[in-house]
Amino acid sequence: MKYRISDMVKDLPEDYIEDELNLNSLDINKISRLKEKVLKKSGKCNEENEGMYKNKNNLSIFKILIASVIVLLTCVTISASPKISQSLAEIFKSDGIFSKKLNLLNDNSQIGDSNLSNSDNNDITINLEEGYKDEAGGMFLLSFKDSKNRISKDSLVEFSNFENIYTNTLLKENNNIIYGIVENTANHKNSNLVINGIYPNVKNFENVDLNVAIIKSELPEKEYHNLSYFSELGDYKSVGNIDFKLLDMFVSDKGLVLRINYTTKGEKNEFEIRDFDLSLKDTNNNIKSSTTCLTSSSYANSSNSTNKEIFFFEAIFEDFSQIPDFENYKLLMNYNQYDGYIQGDWNINLEALNFTDSEKINVNENLLIDGYNYMFKKLIVTKTAIVCSLGIDLDGYNIDEIINISSYKNGKKLNPIFQQIKLADSEIIIILKYDESLNNNIIKVYDNKGIELSDINSLIYKYHK
Amino acid sequence: MIGVSKIFEYEQKEEILKFEHMKKDDNELLNYLINTYSSYIFSIVNRICDKSCSVEDIEECVSDIIISLWRNSEKIDFNKGTLKTYIAATSRNTAINLLKSTKTRKFFLPIKEDVLSFSDDPIDTILKKENNEAILDFLSQLNEIDRKIFIKRFYFGDSYKKISKDLNIKVRIIEGKIYRCRIKLKKFLTGEGSV
């Protein structure tokens, strides 16, 4: 069963929300205007509107004629309007979606222009590779080149639009250029996208001596499942201002379980560790990896404005049915942290143009991914890219998930330069772009679990020039 | 000495009696709703729609809510909560519908963040039988900051940036707190642990 948290909280009592409300936001003028509106509406409801509701299915021929003329005029107007103002759904009904030319803040700029209004001399070049924008927002493929080699794949980019700040992870590294996708969700057509800065990713791989060789078997069995052993407490490893500590260790029916925490301290708490893995390396350099998950955290705010947050992880090594001989093992810790924010000020303003050299294929099959029922709506193959659109059957949601889709050509996995996802109202768009042309090749698309999506016949598609 | 809960109970009873009395006269009820609750309704709709809708749209929405309350006054069930709670829920729903109609992305939270999945269905009973008791229990156990963040995000649909600005906390810390609140809520609802 799935529940929306936003639904669960819908009946919160007033005590919980009143702090958030500005109860004096209505002045006398507004109240009297509002009163006028309500009284007018209530009067209409009693007299005209109620009658209208009752008779709403009995439109006269005259009304139908008027409506037809309006619809016809609207159609003519829309077809004569530039496509850039259309909604995504409307664009999908047309021939093109994928823009090829872009206008940046710097007039006459197009794809390939670099140094996008960069006000700081921080040796990072941002290149706009592709972009798409409509009234619902936009999606831009940017390449980043850092002459000081501070950023890499998995670095975080912080960007903002008219109303929000977002972060995105850079996706792909190729010849010292990293590609990333930035989504602009502003519903304001002319709002700019600003790259605020970048968090470089620091890869850490540590041999951590957690004193696991000192093992005791003292604790009661019921508390620790099939407890066999317990490590000495209190040993920790410090990395920067983070302390790692082994809390306990035991064998349960899940395997060997290590509980570990890390503590961040400091006023700013600038970074967290998001990816965290433990592995055991034996004397023959064989490595056994664990599955690791965050189990809980606690937060303390001390009087001297130093914040302290503790994150608790549980690492499970499934292959172990008993405590291994730790004298023959090293415990390895692999984690990423984001630090050293690089300030930036790159502004992008885009105008989407249609890409017409494409083939569009209708797909109307449902597809279950991760428990959500998606529907393939449209699929477009361009010279160098596959663009497909997924809908979702949960009403009221915007899709905001990344679905990894691999693709194969003639049985061989293709290596897309990048994979990008356009998020729009109730739609997700996936764009796979390749080095080589897709001319006259049959592409099959697989999901991230290797299931051939072409089981749905319409997902085998062919590009004809 | 009368306790706070007793006073609250009296206030509730008084509110019900007043409302029941007003229901007898259509005009009186409409005036009562406008004079007593228009500010409250406006503040909720304005808070949710924020800068995504014009003042005119918000005023239209508020007047629709008042008309709807007036028309449906017979259906209000005081056993489920106070009149203010009912009005707040109606206002919030209508405001969200207004946002939907403007096709703005505000309020619609990412599925990954908003949806909690359960393999069994232990909370179905909890949620249905005890209404929102479970969620209130959960909120009461959160610390003040986490509770504020949770309500701002899931009740009002605030962006991380707005929450960050309001509470003077870094966006990435807000993200982390939301993530951990979700885990806590899931554990709480499945009875796997307290907050």
Side-chain angles (χ1 to χ4, degrees):
Chain A
M1 287 296 291
K2 297 182 195 308
Y3 293 90
R4 293 188 225 185
I5 300 173
S6 56
D7 276 350
M8 289 182 197
V9 297
K10 68 180 190 309
D11 292 322
L12 281 189
E14 58 271 23
D15 323 3
Y16 283 85
I17 59 169
E18 278 184 357
D19 281 354
E20 296 288 332
L21 304 175
N22 178 8
L23 294 169
N24 300 317
S25 51
L26 265 189
D27 55 32
I28 296 172
N29 288 338
K30 277 183 189 164
I31 291 178
S32 62
R33 204 163 58 224
L34 201 57
K35 196 168 185 174
E36 206 174 292
K37 271 184 187 169
V38 173
L39 291 174
K40 201 172 169 187
K41 277 187 186 175
S42 64
K44 276 189 177 178
C45 291
N46 290 338
E47 296 154 22
E48 298 161 29
N49 278 3
E50 277 186 3
M52 226 171 90
Y53 291 142
K54 281 172 193 166
N55 298 321
K56 65 180 177 184
N57 294 323
N58 300 329
L59 283 173
S60 68
I61 292 173
F62 178 72
K63 281 178 182 169
I64 292 171
L65 272 174
I66 294 286
S68 307
V69 170
I70 291 168
V71 168
L72 195 65
L73 283 173
T74 310
C75 290
V76 169
T77 315
I78 286 173
S79 62
S81 305
K83 295 280 197 291
I84 51 171
S85 63
Q86 287 182 316
S87 74
L88 196 65
E90 284 167 335
I91 286 175
F92 261 97
K93 282 174 199 156
S94 71
D95 286 338
I97 170 181
F98 202 50
S99 64
K100 295 301 284 182
K101 288 182 180 176
L102 303 150
N103 295 322
L104 310 181
L105 271 186
N106 178 12
D107 287 344
N108 306 318
S109 295
Q110 296 197 340
I111 287 175
D113 282 347
S114 56
N115 270 334
L116 313 175
S117 307
N118 184 6
S119 61
D120 295 331
N121 179 22
N122 51 27
D123 301 304
I124 291 179
T125 307
I126 302 180
N127 204 46
L128 182 65
E129 299 286 330
E130 299 280 1
Y132 168 77
K133 186 179 180 184
D134 70 357
E135 284 182 328
M139 174 192 63
F140 317 108
L141 180 80
L142 302 163
S143 63
F144 296 79
K145 195 167 186 178
D146 176 18
S147 60
K148 291 184 180 171
N149 295 320
R150 289 161 297 181
I151 61 172
S152 62
K153 178 178 170 291
D154 296 329
S155 289
L156 281 181
V157 177
E158 184 184 281
F159 61 98
S160 56
N161 58 21
F162 183 74
E163 57 181 6
N164 286 312
I165 287 184
Y166 302 92
T167 54
N168 263 88
T169 307
L170 296 182
L171 287 177
K172 181 98 182 167
E173 196 159 1
N174 193 5
N175 298 327
N176 295 325
I177 295 174
I178 306 118
Y179 293 91
I181 296 157
V182 172
E183 178 211 1
N184 177 24
T185 56
N187 57 343
H188 297 269
K189 192 174 143 191
N190 296 317
S191 72
N192 294 339
L193 180 78
V194 179
I195 306 286
N196 302 321
I198 300 165
Y199 293 96
N201 178 32
V202 182
K203 280 263 181 197
N204 292 281
F205 195 66
E206 302 269 343
N207 285 314
V208 185
D209 179 8
L210 289 166
N211 207 11
V212 288
I214 303 171
I215 293 166
K216 294 179 179 177
S217 52
E218 291 175 350
L219 295 177
E221 192 166 339
K222 60 179 181 182
E223 195 176 341
Y224 287 93
H225 312 287
N226 305 319
L227 173 92
S228 300
Y229 302 97
F230 187 68
S231 71
E232 280 287 349
L233 297 179
D235 298 315
Y236 63 86
K237 171 83 179 172
S238 288
V239 180
N241 63 345
I242 301 181
D243 292 341
F244 293 92
K245 190 181 286 184
L246 181 67
L247 297 178
D248 57 29
M249 177 175 64
F250 52 90
V251 174
S252 75
D253 48 6
K254 293 185 281 188
L256 174 67
V257 180
L258 268 65
R259 286 182 178 158
I260 197 164
N261 73 11
Y262 76 81
T263 308
T264 60
K265 289 176 288 188
E267 192 178 346
K268 290 187 175 175
N269 264 0
E270 281 288 352
F271 59 87
E272 279 182 15
I273 293 172
R274 298 221 173 173
D275 311 311
F276 185 92
D277 282 310
L278 285 180
S279 49
L280 286 167
K281 187 164 80 171
D282 67 16
T283 47
N284 296 321
N285 288 332
N286 296 318
I287 292 180
K288 287 181 186 298
S289 297
S290 68
T291 53
T292 312
C293 60
L294 180 72
T295 53
S296 66
S297 71
S298 69
Y299 181 81
N301 203 346
S302 72
S303 55
N304 59 3
S305 76
T306 302
N307 299 325
K308 184 176 172 185
E309 192 150 17
I310 307 175
F311 300 85
F312 296 87
F313 286 89
E314 193 169 85
I316 300 166
F317 294 88
E318 288 181 355
D319 293 342
F320 289 87
S321 57
Q322 58 182 20
I323 290 284
D325 179 2
F326 274 109
E327 288 186 359
N328 297 322
Y329 282 95
K330 280 278 183 193
L331 188 64
L332 306 177
M333 191 188 310
N334 186 15
Y335 60 93
N336 296 333
Q337 70 183 54
Y338 299 103
D339 201 2
Y341 186 73
I342 302 169
Q343 291 283 354
D345 181 16
W346 297 274
N347 296 285
I348 303 169
N349 191 7
L350 295 168
E351 185 180 331
L353 299 175
N354 288 323
F355 180 69
T356 52
D357 188 10
S358 63
E359 181 180 346
K360 188 174 60 182
I361 299 162
N362 292 324
V363 184
N364 286 311
E365 298 286 345
N366 288 328
L367 172 69
L368 201 67
I369 301 174
D370 290 342
Y372 295 110
N373 200 17
Y374 295 88
M375 175 181 275
F376 269 93
K377 287 184 169 178
K378 293 282 189 293
L379 195 132
I380 296 170
V381 183
T382 74
K383 257 186 191 175
T384 56
I386 301 168
V387 182
C388 54
S389 156
L390 290 167
I392 191 167
D393 67 350
L394 289 176
D395 181 42
Y397 278 112
N398 287 324
I399 295 175
D400 201 349
E401 289 188 328
I402 293 176
I403 304 163
N404 292 314
I405 293 186
S406 312
S407 53
Y408 289 72
K409 185 169 79 176
N410 301 328
K412 191 182 167 191
K413 190 173 179 180
L414 289 173
N415 212 9
I417 297 175
F418 58 84
Q419 174 177 322
Q420 56 183 337
I421 291 110
K422 169 75 178 93
L423 309 172
D425 287 351
S426 301
E427 284 184 334
I428 191 164
I429 293 172
I430 299 161
I431 299 175
L432 305 169
K433 190 178 178 184
Y434 301 91
D435 283 323
E436 52 186 313
S437 165
L438 299 177
N439 275 357
N440 299 318
N441 285 309
I442 294 176
I443 308 292
K444 288 182 182 180
V445 178
Y446 294 75
D447 72 4
N448 57 346
K449 288 171 187 153
I451 297 165
E452 187 179 316
L453 301 181
S454 55
D455 283 341
I456 304 164
N457 291 332
S458 44
L459 275 175
I460 302 174
Y461 39 90
K462 195 172 181 178
Y463 175 75
H464 300 283
K465 180 138 190 191
Chain B
M1 197 170 167
I2 304 172
V4 175
S5 61
K6 208 72 185 165
I7 294 172
F8 182 65
E9 205 177 295
Y10 284 141
E11 281 176 356
Q12 264 188 303
K13 276 185 183 165
E14 197 184 331
E15 183 187 52
I16 297 168
L17 285 172
K18 207 172 201 177
F19 190 75
E20 291 297 329
H21 174 73
M22 297 290 176
K23 271 175 21 182
K24 290 172 188 165
D25 184 327
D26 262 4
N27 287 334
E28 208 171 338
L29 177 63
L30 193 59
N31 276 317
Y32 174 70
L33 288 170
I34 295 169
N35 295 331
T36 317
Y37 294 107
S38 55
S39 279
Y40 187 60
I41 296 169
F42 183 89
S43 60
I44 293 173
V45 177
N46 194 37
R47 175 73 175 72
I48 288 173
C49 295
D50 202 12
K51 291 164 188 164
S52 303
C53 302
S54 65
V55 178
E56 289 74 26
D57 283 345
I58 291 171
E59 285 180 4
E60 279 299 321
C61 181
V62 173
S63 60
D64 286 345
I65 293 164
I66 294 173
I67 292 287
S68 161
L69 291 168
W70 177 60
R71 278 182 174 169
N72 298 306
S73 60
E74 291 299 332
K75 294 177 189 168
I76 297 174
D77 181 358
F78 286 103
N79 292 320
K80 289 183 177 175
T82 65
L83 178 60
K84 262 193 164 179
T85 305
Y86 180 85
I87 290 176
T90 308
S91 305
R92 180 177 178 263
N93 286 343
T94 317
I96 292 171
N97 286 337
L98 172 64
L99 283 174
K100 274 185 190 171
S101 70
T102 57
K103 291 186 177 171
T104 171
R105 288 177 67 91
K106 190 182 181 304
F107 198 89
F108 303 110
L109 306 171
I111 293 172
K112 233 177 196 172
E113 189 181 319
D114 196 18
V115 171
L116 282 183
S117 304
F118 298 85
S119 49
D120 303 320
D121 199 12
I123 68 159
D124 195 41
T125 327
I126 296 171
L127 287 179
K128 279 178 184 165
K129 281 190 181 169
E130 299 175 23
N131 285 319
N132 57 348
E133 288 295 318
I135 202 84
L136 295 183
D137 280 352
F138 169 74
L139 286 174
S140 68
Q141 290 185 37
L142 288 180
N143 68 44
E144 196 185 342
I145 290 286
D146 285 358
R147 184 166 58 243
K148 271 180 186 271
I149 292 173
F150 191 88
I151 290 172
K152 280 173 182 287
R153 183 68 175 160
F154 293 107
Y155 190 90
F156 292 105
D158 285 353
S159 67
Y160 287 133
K161 184 187 173 188
K162 186 175 186 320
I163 300 173
S164 164
K165 202 176 164 189
D166 287 354
L167 300 177
N168 198 21
I169 299 175
K170 282 236 164 218
V171 169
R172 300 188 62 235
I173 293 173
I174 306 272
E175 281 177 5
K177 285 185 177 296
I178 296 272
Y179 170 76
R180 289 186 288 281
C181 275
R182 288 185 80 255
I183 293 174
K184 284 175 186 172
L185 176 61
K186 188 167 179 178
K187 282 188 173 176
F188 183 81
L189 292 174
T190 49
E192 283 174 26
S194 61
V195 174

